[in-house]
Amino acid sequence: MFDIFMRTTWIFSAVSFVFFVTQPIGTKLHFFFSIISIGLMIVISWLRLGGVFRHIFLALGSIIVIRYLYWRIAETIPDPSQIADFIPGMLLLVADLFCITMLALGLFVNAQPITRPAAPQLREEDLPSVDVFVPSYNEERDLVATTLAAAKALDYPQHKLKVFLLDDGGTDEKFYSFDDAVSLTARARRADLQQLCAELGVTYLTRERNVHAKAGNLNNGLAHSAGDLVVVFDADHVPAREFLRETVGHFATEPKLFLVQTPHFFINADPLERNLQTFKAMPSENEMFYGAIQKGLDSWNAAFFCGSAAVLRRAALDEVGGFAGVTITEDCESALELHSRGWKSLYVDKPLIAGLQPETFESFIGQRSRWCRGMLQIFMLKNPLFNKGLSLPQRLCYTSSNLFWLFPLSRLIFMISPLFFILFNLQIYNASPQSFVAYTLTYIVAVILIQHYLYGSLRWPWISELYEYIQSVYLLRAVMSVIANPRAPKFNVTQKGNSLAEDELSPLAWPFYAIFAFLLATFVYTAYRYAMEPAARDLLIVIGAWNVFNTVMAGLALGVVSERRERRKIQRLDVSRRGSLLIGDQEVPIIVKDASVGGLKAEIAGGDGRQFGQLVMPGRHQATIRIDSRAGAPLSAEVAITSATSVDDRRSLGLRFLGNNCDRYRIIADIAYGDLSAMRALRASRQNRQGLLVGTARTLVWAAREALRGLFFLLFRRNVRANATGQQAVLPPPGIRSPEALPQTGLASEPAPAVVRPAVAPPASGRSARVPDVSLADFAPGTRA
């Protein structure tokens, strides 16, 4: 009875609110009311007031938005009899309605975000068993090995922890392929990773066929494991040692909890951050999602699985037949299935993994295209609005997450709309300059203030617009392909680790130059019309400003697609760990200052190191580095001293790992990833608010600078990845090592034998199966099919 009363009250309040704000009060009175409301919003935002003031702020902004919407529909639509005006006018209205709908859903999702308390700490005998899945496809060996070593070193009773490498790059389908290159690569990869897993104490699993992509790979892991909980880490997501201690305890307090999701934190810059050089100062793009939106979703029991850095309950997965694989975003789809069955989720806002983002603009667009297709697939094939198992808030939350990916349509409509008036004098927006200022301009200001209030420390002004623009040009095709055939999209693995050795123009750059040139030419034509048509000057100022904004975004985009080289192919992480170098019978105390899988930078502790004389000269000696592990037992590995320099009475050493055993991965996992407090401090330091005026001025300066840099790249960096003959270079797939490079397998010193076909065709079924160790030597030469 109480629920019915509360629902009735909310409905009555909403109807009354809408009735009030849609009353005709005249343009001047509306403008006066909007200015007062905006002033109050600015004060609340500037003072960073929360609690009841948060609701007052959002209510004031909502009133301005709803009054704009009412005016927009009632007074600005072109005459339907004027088809040339009406059709583009309706397209613009649809784009407007989409943005207002997404704003309303966003305000609902983020109305009252929550921050979860720390997980309860359980006694060892009460801890559930945990299976860690690391799905892999084509990642580099060093990347996979570091993640596996960190997973093995998790702070958890070892008899209750089992780590699995789920290798989809060495399946039977690839192993027995009739394509020689595919077969040889798969055989080399399988032998290499099997040896790696044996050394690390990890279980290696592959399967017969690459069916259902990542979902199928994870389900194969479920079929060959039995832990109470399942943890998923992408191959490039290295977990902190305390990951399980910060998450597992939540499952003991809620029997219907199926998911604990943690944020994805990245140690490298995405293409926008690298090319605009903002990585160390500006909040990363994903901070708005993981720092605010997921917390808002969590308040409605709608935080969803993000594919990695998460813990899931096996019993819940068993109830729905494992990870869902109908769409190419198995993570969100699986969460939707489980939420509709009454299971609950929880979000812990603490970075507990360190991952990698796509390094190039091309791979960035490939990743976002997959996300876009998958989320729209979910909406079209499993529409959450009509899912009776979900609560109304959950339906709205999933709808918000799915429909967001239609932004390419609205973004491109907003880009071309000013051109209809500037170039063809079409009246697609019936409004006087006075009405435009009173309604449209105040609406835009209110929306900007709302975004800044909710996400100011997580997203700088105009950065969302830039990210959406650079994606829209290519994601439009992805959107249309799903609309045409929702079942057509296929899973594509995001390429990572393919950093650029030289500055270059992205292969995807050309549309952005064409758009920028066209918008710039339109700006010149607008100035010409302004000079020649005095009667149209008021509208030309308004619409010309709109076109200038689009040109600014286009200029910034030229900087994004003008790609700077990556100075380090291997990411180095700042650390501070004491250890020692054993050189012969002498021990040199050191402090490790940074680390990567290739080597370390260290300082001699307790002085300038003169007492060690020639002992630490580069090229003279090999040494053994020893580090006290966080788990207790010391870790050691063989290194060579590659450099020795003195700065400010401190002796710094460059150390390179020798050999190819797994000791290096255990050391890197322990000293670089065992404690992510330094990375969390970096994340916190970047979460700084920038004022709207300062942010706008900065954006204008960036646009001018990046447009010039983009033109320089167009003139002098046009030979994109070309070889000496001028043809496009063919690069090997990242992460696959040739048989000659395999360590200690008997293949390193022998020529690669011919690819051998089995006498019997590989299994035709799609069932999961654990594949036995197989090497090329198991097949007799001379039996080539």
Side-chain angles (χ1 to χ4, degrees):
M1 191 69 182
F2 180 75
D3 290 341
I4 296 176
F5 172 76
M6 289 301 298
R7 290 182 183 180
T8 303
T9 302
W10 275 108
I11 293 172
F12 177 77
S13 301
V15 171
S16 301
F17 178 77
V18 172
F19 176 78
F20 169 74
V21 300
T22 56
Q23 295 305 301
I25 59 175
T27 300
K28 291 184 179 179
L29 187 57
H30 169 79
F31 181 69
F32 179 73
F33 170 80
S34 297
I35 291 298
I36 293 176
S37 297
I38 288 173
L40 292 174
M41 293 171 68
I42 291 173
V43 171
I44 293 173
S45 178
W46 184 64
L47 296 176
R48 300 186 186 182
L49 302 177
V52 68
F53 291 100
R54 178 186 180 93
H55 298 288
I56 293 174
F57 179 96
L58 297 179
L60 291 171
S62 298
I63 291 173
I64 296 174
V65 171
I66 294 175
R67 287 200 57 81
Y68 164 78
L69 177 62
Y70 176 76
W71 169 81
R72 180 78 172 86
I73 295 174
E75 300 185 26
T76 67
I77 299 176
D79 185 350
S81 64
Q82 303 296 321
I83 297 299
D85 294 337
F86 182 72
I87 292 178
M90 290 304 295
L91 286 176
L92 181 59
L93 177 62
V94 169
D96 244 350
L97 293 176
F98 171 77
C99 290
I100 292 174
T101 299
M102 295 309 301
L103 174 65
L105 289 172
L107 292 179
F108 174 80
V109 168
N110 294 283
Q112 199 65 49
I114 60 174
T115 300
R116 297 285 184 173
Q121 297 303 303
L122 308 179
R123 296 177 302 174
E124 181 171 328
E125 58 268 26
D126 296 330
L127 290 171
S129 56
V130 175
D131 292 327
V132 176
F133 292 167
V134 180
S136 175
Y137 184 76
N138 63 355
E139 295 83 3
E140 294 183 0
R141 181 182 193 269
D142 286 344
L143 203 65
V144 175
T146 304
T147 301
L148 293 176
K152 282 292 294 182
L154 288 170
D155 182 15
Y156 208 73
Q158 290 299 299
H159 67 282
K160 293 190 174 185
L161 177 68
K162 193 169 186 179
V163 180
F164 295 81
L165 173 62
L166 310 181
D167 179 27
D168 246 11
T171 58
D172 286 354
E173 180 181 356
K174 293 178 175 293
F175 195 96
Y176 296 120
S177 173
F178 284 93
D179 183 316
D180 288 357
V182 172
S183 178
L184 187 58
T185 298
R187 292 165 186 251
R189 178 182 177 85
R190 185 188 290 187
D192 190 13
L193 294 183
Q194 282 179 329
Q195 178 184 347
L196 172 69
C197 289
E199 293 181 12
L200 288 173
V202 170
T203 300
Y204 175 90
L205 280 177
T206 190
R207 53 185 177 139
E208 294 174 5
R209 295 187 181 278
N210 298 82
V211 292
H212 297 301
K214 184 178 177 181
N217 196 13
L218 292 171
N219 286 333
N220 185 48
L222 288 176
H224 294 86
S225 59
D228 301 317
L229 302 178
V230 171
V231 178
V232 180
F233 297 127
D234 281 347
D236 60 326
H237 283 183
V238 185
R241 178 171 162 76
E242 74 266 29
F243 182 91
L244 294 178
R245 295 294 184 184
E246 297 284 349
T247 54
V248 167
H250 289 295
F251 288 89
T253 61
E254 175 51 68
K256 291 294 289 182
L257 182 67
F258 82 90
L259 169 71
V260 173
Q261 178 67 57
T262 69
H264 294 183
F265 176 82
F266 300 107
I267 62 175
N268 67 320
D270 69 24
L272 185 147
E273 293 168 330
R274 187 185 73 250
N275 297 328
L276 300 188
Q277 297 183 314
T278 64
F279 179 64
K280 292 185 178 180
M282 185 179 74
S284 290
E285 184 210 11
N286 69 330
E287 287 298 326
M288 191 168 87
F289 176 74
Y290 287 110
I293 295 175
Q294 274 282 49
K295 295 167 73 172
L297 293 171
D298 194 18
S299 68
W300 301 110
N301 185 31
F304 60 83
F305 178 36
C306 297
S308 180
V311 189
L312 301 102
R313 193 187 297 269
R314 179 183 294 271
L317 292 170
D318 288 344
E319 182 178 311
V320 294
F323 293 91
V326 174
T327 72
I328 58 175
T329 46
E330 81 295 328
D331 41 17
C332 184
E333 183 188 354
S334 298
L336 175 65
E337 291 287 343
L338 287 161
H339 275 132
S340 68
R341 301 287 187 98
W343 290 89
K344 298 180 180 181
S345 63
L346 184 148
Y347 177 67
V348 174
D349 184 26
K350 183 176 184 179
L352 295 168
I353 60 101
L356 294 178
Q357 301 187 88
E359 290 87 348
T360 66
F361 183 70
E362 190 174 11
S363 58
F364 174 83
I365 290 297
Q367 180 192 64
R368 301 311 167 92
S369 180
R370 174 167 60 84
W371 292 357
C372 173
R373 287 185 170 99
M375 296 299 272
L376 292 179
Q377 275 186 298
I378 291 175
F379 185 76
M380 297 186 70
L381 299 176
K382 299 188 173 185
N383 195 311
L385 285 174
F386 304 107
N387 191 318
K388 296 181 179 179
L390 299 176
S391 66
L392 178 59
Q394 287 176 321
R395 296 183 196 188
L396 295 176
C397 287
Y398 273 103
T399 299
S400 175
S401 299
N402 295 158
L403 290 185
F404 164 79
W405 289 97
L406 289 174
F407 73 80
L409 296 175
S410 63
R411 181 62 56 189
L412 294 178
I413 289 173
F414 287 137
M415 184 174 66
I416 66 174
S417 289
L419 309 181
F420 288 112
F421 176 77
I422 295 172
L423 300 179
F424 307 111
N425 206 34
L426 298 180
Q427 307 295 319
I428 68 172
Y429 196 101
N430 287 337
S432 66
Q434 294 80 9
S435 296
F436 182 89
V437 171
Y439 286 93
T440 306
L441 189 59
T442 56
Y443 156 73
I444 292 173
V445 171
V447 171
I448 293 171
L449 287 173
I450 290 172
Q451 292 175 338
H452 191 63
Y453 179 76
L454 294 177
Y455 314 118
S457 62
L458 306 172
R459 182 67 56 84
W460 282 3
W462 312 115
I463 295 301
S464 287
E465 286 71 18
L466 178 58
Y467 269 105
E468 288 187 9
Y469 170 67
I470 64 175
Q471 295 177 75
S472 294
V473 173
Y474 283 97
L475 263 56
L476 179 63
R477 180 180 177 182
V479 171
M480 301 310 295
S481 69
V482 177
I483 293 175
N485 187 352
R487 298 186 182 275
K490 304 298 181 184
F491 190 99
N492 294 316
V493 176
T494 302
Q495 298 290 340
K496 297 179 184 176
N498 50 344
S499 55
L500 302 175
E502 300 293 338
D503 291 349
E504 67 175 41
L505 199 61
S506 170
L508 305 183
W510 306 111
F512 295 96
Y513 282 91
I515 292 170
F516 178 73
F518 188 76
L519 293 177
L520 198 60
T522 304
F523 171 76
V524 174
Y525 183 66
T526 304
Y528 169 78
R529 282 195 62 187
Y530 182 85
M532 301 302 294
E533 302 178 31
R537 284 179 178 175
D538 288 344
L539 283 176
L540 283 171
I541 288 175
V542 171
I543 298 177
W546 185 354
N547 188 61
V548 167
F549 172 79
N550 290 334
T551 307
V552 167
M553 290 295 109
L556 276 168
L558 297 190
V560 177
V561 298
S562 302
E563 305 214 68
R564 301 179 190 271
R565 69 185 178 95
E566 181 59 67
R567 296 184 180 276
R568 286 195 176 113
K569 178 175 175 59
I570 302 175
Q571 296 296 323
R572 302 185 70 88
L573 302 176
D574 293 333
V575 299
S576 181
R577 286 288 296 278
R578 290 188 173 273
S580 60
L581 278 181
L582 303 179
I583 306 175
D585 58 354
Q586 296 195 50
E587 183 173 355
V588 180
I590 61 171
I591 301 174
V592 180
K593 305 300 290 185
D594 72 33
S596 75
V597 292
L600 310 167
K601 179 182 177 182
E603 291 181 356
I604 296 178
D608 60 9
R610 293 178 184 177
Q611 67 270 34
F612 298 105
Q614 299 296 313
L615 194 64
V616 294
M617 291 296 291
R620 297 292 182 88
H621 299 283
Q622 294 183 6
T624 300
I625 185 171
R626 180 175 292 171
I627 301 289
D628 288 334
S629 168
R630 299 179 194 277
L635 299 172
S636 62
E638 299 301 312
V639 297
I641 301 174
T642 58
S643 65
T645 57
S646 296
V647 178
D648 297 332
D649 295 329
R650 293 183 179 181
R651 188 72 165 170
S652 296
L653 305 176
L655 307 174
R656 174 173 55 84
F657 288 114
L658 297 175
N660 204 42
N661 58 44
C662 292
D663 293 335
R664 68 165 72 180
Y665 304 121
R666 296 187 179 97
I667 286 181
I668 295 303
D670 190 272
I671 67 175
Y673 298 98
D675 179 9
L676 297 185
S677 57
M679 298 182 197
R680 295 187 196 110
L682 171 63
R683 181 197 190 214
S685 70
R686 293 187 301 185
Q687 291 182 353
N688 57 89
R689 297 171 68 93
Q690 190 163 89
L692 290 172
L693 295 179
V694 173
T696 300
R698 184 214 64 232
T699 301
L700 293 174
V701 172
W702 276 1
R705 183 191 72 192
E706 296 305 320
L708 291 174
R709 190 171 70 87
L711 294 176
F712 174 82
F713 270 63
L714 180 65
L715 296 174
F716 302 106
R717 295 288 188 272
R718 292 179 60 184
N719 294 327
V720 181
R721 301 179 209 170
N723 56 26
T725 65
Q727 297 176 333
Q728 194 76 4
V730 179
L731 303 177
I736 303 301
R737 307 199 312 163
S738 65
E740 291 80 6
L742 292 177
Q744 305 173 10
T745 61
L747 296 175
S749 60
E750 301 173 5
V755 179
V756 180
R757 308 298 177 201
V760 179
S765 69
R767 66 180 179 83
S768 301
R770 180 162 184 176
V771 178
D773 293 353
V774 182
S775 68
L776 297 180
D778 294 330
F779 295 86
T783 60
R784 187 180 179 89

